[in-house]
C-alpha cells in the first residue's frame, strides 16, 4: 500500500494550491530536514538498544570456569604455602624461629 505516481502528483498539486509557488520550496526544505533528523534519531535509538541488549547478554553469561589441570609444581608450591601459613614456627633456644617443611606424601606412598 505505497504511494504511487498519481497519488504523489495529486498531493503536490494540492500543496502547490494551498501554499503557493513561493512557499513550496521552503516547505520542501523544512520537510527534508525534519525527515533527516527523524532518521538520525531513530538510528541513534536503535544503536542504544542494541548496546543495552549486548551488555545485558554479557551480564547473563557466566564467567569462564577456572582452569583445570594445574602442573605438579604449582600444586606442590601451593601446598607448601598452605602448610607454612597454618604451622606456627618453632623457636630455638636463641629465639630464632625454625620452620619445618615436610614434603607432602603422594597418594599410595604412605611408607608402610
Amino acid at each position: 500500500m505505497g504511494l504511487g505516481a498519481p497519488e504523489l502528483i495529486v498531493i503536490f498539486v494540492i500543496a502547490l494550491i494551498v501554499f503557493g509557488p513561493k512557499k513550496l520550496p521552503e516547505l520542501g526544505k523544512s520537510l527534508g530536514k525534519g525527515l533527516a533528523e527523524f532518521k538520525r534519531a531513530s538510528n541513534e535509538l536503535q544503536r542504544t538498544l542494541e548496546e543495552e541488549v549486548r551488555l545485558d547478554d554479557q551480564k547473563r553469561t557466566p564467567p569462564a570456569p577456572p582452569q583445570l589441570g594445574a602442573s605438579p609444581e604449582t600444586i606442590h608450591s601451593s601446598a607448601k604455602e598452605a602448610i607454612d601459613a597454618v604451622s606456627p614456627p618453632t623457636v630455638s633456644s636463641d629465639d630464632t624461629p625454625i620452620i619445618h617443611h615436610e614434603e607432602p606424601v603422594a597418594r599410595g606412598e604412605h611408607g608402610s
Side-chain angles (χ1 to χ4, degrees), residues 5-77:
E7 290 88 3
L8 288 176
I9 292 173
V10 170
I11 292 172
F12 179 72
V13 170
I14 292 173
L16 186 60
I17 293 171
V18 172
F19 296 107
K22 292 184 179 180
K23 284 281 193 177
L24 200 57
E26 189 178 309
L27 182 67
K29 186 177 179 181
S30 297
L31 184 64
K33 284 183 179 181
L35 287 175
E37 182 63 31
F38 177 76
K39 185 176 181 180
R40 187 175 17 252
S42 65
N43 286 340
E44 180 66 29
L45 177 65
Q46 183 179 4
R47 279 194 300 270
T48 302
L49 289 175
E50 288 172 354
E51 180 69 17
E52 289 295 324
V53 168
R54 186 183 63 78
L55 290 174
D56 191 43
D57 287 345
Q58 285 180 349
K59 287 179 185 177
R60 291 183 186 191
T61 304
Q67 185 179 7
L68 300 176
S71 67
E73 294 82 19
T74 307
I75 295 171
H76 179 72
S77 65

